[in-house]
Amino acid sequence: MANFNTHINVAATCGGVVAITGLGEGILSISQALIAWVLISIGGILPDVDSDHAKPVKALFTALAAGAVVLVVTHMQPMPPTPVLLVVGISVYLVVRILGYKVFAQFSAHRGIYHSLLAGALFMAATIVLCHQVLSTNAILAWGSGVAIALGFLIHLVLDEIYSVDLVGVRIKRSFGTAIKPIDFRNPLNSLVMAGIVVGLFFLAPSPEPFAKWFSNQWLGRLI
């Protein structure tokens, strides 16, 4: 399998190609091109969140902890005194960053459910809902962000499968076929739960029709 540096470099390169193409063709603005580049790069390391000691999962839980602090503190009404805010903020951060990370590591296995197309759909749907419901972006930007995450995710899986083939020794490694799979067949219950979450998230997502029309008119109409 490819290492972390390879994954981030390849995903960032592919994201750069998409960003530059969109910018050069007048499809994306500068800010949109930068967002696409960043999201594809992030998507390129997401499948490795199931690795207990990987940099991506630690960075992910650090970001989640910081986000949880912001959400909790900003929704505290009436606003408590500063000492209370500090205690609450630090407590929330530690619970998510340390306890959440430990629980996640306990129930995840590398190249398990997070190395599946179903997990890619989960991250895509979560991104769409987060952008639309929390950040109040329009349907086109929300779906575009989700697609960018999914593209980076898929790049990671394909790259791992490529590294499963030893071209020098002309042989296929034992890891071949473990990177790209629809679900985690070893844990059908986990896959069923994740599938339910994905369906629920897509129910919360805006209609994909505006994005489909925009993509057809802008990308396909200009590049094909």
Side-chain angles (χ1 to χ4, degrees):
M1 60 181 292
N3 59 30
F4 176 80
N5 288 334
T6 301
H7 279 304
I8 189 64
N9 288 333
V10 172
T13 299
C14 293
V17 171
V18 171
I20 292 173
T21 301
L23 193 60
E25 293 293 325
I27 300 172
L28 302 175
S29 65
I30 294 178
S31 61
Q32 290 170 340
L34 287 173
I35 291 172
W37 176 58
V38 170
L39 291 179
I40 293 173
S41 300
I42 292 174
I45 59 175
L46 282 178
D48 278 345
V49 298
D50 58 5
S51 180
D52 296 349
H53 304 292
K55 297 177 182 178
V57 70
K58 293 178 180 178
L60 175 64
F61 272 90
T62 298
L64 288 175
V69 172
V70 173
L71 286 175
V72 171
V73 169
T74 55
H75 283 81
M76 293 180 69
Q77 297 296 336
M79 189 65 69
T82 300
V84 176
L85 278 177
L86 288 174
V87 171
V88 171
I90 293 173
S91 300
V92 170
Y93 182 88
L94 293 177
V95 167
V96 176
R97 178 60 181 85
I98 297 178
L99 183 59
Y101 173 78
K102 292 294 184 182
V103 171
F104 179 87
Q106 183 69 28
F107 290 97
S108 63
H110 190 45
R111 282 218 171 186
I113 195 169
Y114 290 101
H115 256 79
S116 67
L117 297 177
L118 178 61
L122 173 68
F123 287 117
M124 175 182 176
T127 301
I128 294 170
V129 172
L130 174 66
C131 289
H132 187 67
Q133 301 287 359
V134 179
L135 302 180
S136 300
T137 61
N138 59 48
I140 294 177
L141 184 56
W143 273 88
S145 298
V147 168
I149 285 287
L151 177 58
F153 193 95
L154 185 60
I155 289 170
H156 181 114
L157 301 189
V158 171
L159 195 58
D160 271 349
E161 288 293 9
I162 292 174
Y163 269 72
S164 295
V165 179
D166 184 359
L167 297 178
V168 177
V170 192
R171 68 184 179 89
I172 296 178
K173 302 176 183 177
R174 292 179 60 186
S175 59
F176 183 77
T178 61
I180 301 180
K181 51 183 177 286
I183 64 173
D184 183 11
F185 295 103
R186 296 175 299 177
N187 295 288
L189 181 58
N190 289 348
S191 295
L192 182 62
V193 171
M194 181 176 285
I197 295 174
V198 170
V199 172
L201 286 172
F202 275 118
F203 268 113
L204 296 175
S207 170
E209 185 176 352
F211 174 78
K213 290 182 178 179
W214 173 82
F215 183 80
S216 177
N217 294 332
Q218 297 295 321
W219 285 95
L220 297 183
R222 296 192 184 192
L223 300 180
I224 297 180

